[in-house]
Amino acid sequence: QVQLVEVGGGSVQPGGSLILACAASDRTYSDACMGWFRQAPGTEREEVASIHFGVGSTYYLDSIKERFSISRDIAKNMIYLQMNNLKTEDSGMYYCAARIPAMARSGVACYFALQTGDVNWGQGTQVTVSS
C-alpha cells in the first residue's frame, strides 16, 4: 500500500497562489493514477485534478481548470498542484490520492478511476483563502 504525504497548504488572500506537493512512498509508480481532492466543511469531497503518473496525461474539474495545474516528478515520486488566482470557495482540506495499478491510461480515465476502487489517501493539508 502506497503512503502519501501532502505538504504546502496554508492561508492566502483571494487572488493569491499556493502550490501543494504530495510525496509517494519509495517506489516509482509508472502505472498509477494520482490526483487531488478537496473538501470544505459540510460538503462532499470533490476531485479537482488527476494525472496518470506514467503517461503524464491530466484532467481537471471544469471550475478550476483555468487556474490549477497538476504535474508530477517521476524521479521524486511526487505530484504537485499549482493553484493560482485562488478564490474563497477554494478553501478546504486538500487530499492527495493514488490508485495503483491505475486501471486507466489517461488523465480523464484516471479522474474517474480515482472515484472508484481501492484508492490510497494522504492525511490532507488545509488551504484557507480569506481576506
Side-chain angles (χ1 to χ4, degrees):
Q1 186 173 3
V2 63
Q3 305 298 317
L4 303 170
V5 178
E6 305 100 329
V7 295
S11 296
V12 65
Q13 293 186 339
S17 296
L18 283 174
I19 183 166
L20 307 181
C22 173
S25 51
D26 60 353
R27 285 180 53 193
T28 300
Y29 296 103
S30 61
D31 183 26
C33 287
M34 297 189 71
W36 292 94
F37 288 69
R38 68 184 180 187
Q39 187 171 23
T43 69
E44 293 187 357
R45 189 175 296 189
E46 69 174 352
E47 186 174 4
V48 297
S50 61
I51 186 166
H52 189 285
F53 199 77
V55 175
S57 175
T58 61
Y59 191 76
Y60 298 93
L61 180 69
D62 278 348
S63 63
I64 58 86
K65 64 182 178 181
E66 299 299 324
R67 301 184 293 119
F68 291 11
S69 177
I70 188 171
S71 61
R72 93 296 197 202
D73 186 323
I74 294 175
K76 296 182 178 179
N77 290 331
M78 295 185 70
I79 65 168
Y80 305 92
L81 186 68
Q82 176 70 51
M83 304 185 292
N84 298 323
N85 191 21
L86 283 159
K87 304 178 180 181
T88 56
E89 55 264 38
D90 294 318
S91 296
M93 188 70 77
Y94 282 69
Y95 298 90
C96 177
R99 180 172 176 173
I100 304 165
M103 306 301 288
R105 291 295 295 170
S106 69
V108 60
C110 278
Y111 188 86
F112 295 101
L114 285 167
Q115 298 180 29
T116 61
D118 188 10
V119 176
N120 298 283
W121 297 95
Q123 82 285 354
T125 186
Q126 179 68 40
V127 171
T128 302
V129 185
S130 173
S131 56

